[in-house]
Amino acid sequence: MAKKISSLEDLGGFVFSTNKDFEFNQNDETEETLDPNQQHLEAHLDKKNRGGKVATVIKGFVGSADDLKALGKDLKTLCGVGGSAKDGEIIIQGNFRDKIMDYLKNKGYKVKRVGG
């Protein structure tokens, strides 16, 4: 059975053009991951839209989605909790800001505490 198409994004963003001179140029923009010593990360505590539960949010990562997910997995393993990594942010369930900041500093990242 074929996969059900629910939006235009499922078609790849291009459907049809009536322009005879149209050329489809797909630009694969792969973002290069900066070295840890060039990264400026921010460690936030957040409990908005989380049912009152606290989450540690790491913002400011510059790099590919695969590298972001790999770092997120390392942080989740370090803390022994769940979380997610997407859109340049790593969300770790619970208040592990100090532990995560120490780990990232040891890896060479520049980490700044933001908020209370």
Side-chain angles (χ1 to χ4, degrees):
M1 184 173 184
K3 180 182 171 189
K4 184 176 179 182
I5 297 174
S6 60
S7 68
L8 289 177
E9 284 86 25
D10 294 339
L11 295 173
F14 176 73
V15 180
F16 181 76
S17 175
T18 57
N19 185 354
K20 295 177 184 176
D21 298 326
F22 181 77
E23 293 181 18
F24 180 65
N25 294 327
Q26 185 174 5
N27 295 332
D28 292 332
E29 295 181 15
T30 56
E31 192 168 354
E32 186 175 323
T33 303
L34 295 176
D35 290 333
N37 58 359
Q38 295 176 333
Q39 298 269 6
H40 297 282
L41 303 178
E42 296 178 347
H44 299 259
L45 280 182
D46 186 26
K47 61 181 178 179
K48 294 179 183 173
N49 300 326
R50 303 186 198 289
K53 299 193 177 173
V54 177
T56 304
V57 182
I58 306 299
K59 297 181 181 180
F61 184 84
V62 178
S64 68
D66 292 337
D67 292 336
L68 177 71
K69 288 183 181 183
L71 181 59
K73 183 175 181 180
D74 292 343
L75 295 178
K76 290 188 290 186
T77 303
L78 171 74
C79 299
V81 295
S84 66
K86 59 185 173 186
D87 300 330
E89 293 184 348
I90 301 171
I91 301 170
I92 304 295
Q93 297 172 353
N95 184 357
F96 294 101
R97 183 164 53 174
D98 294 331
K99 189 175 190 179
I100 290 172
M101 286 178 65
D102 290 339
Y103 176 80
L104 292 173
K105 285 179 183 176
N106 289 336
K107 289 284 190 178
Y109 291 93
K110 296 174 185 167
V111 186
K112 180 179 177 183
R113 174 188 291 256
V114 177

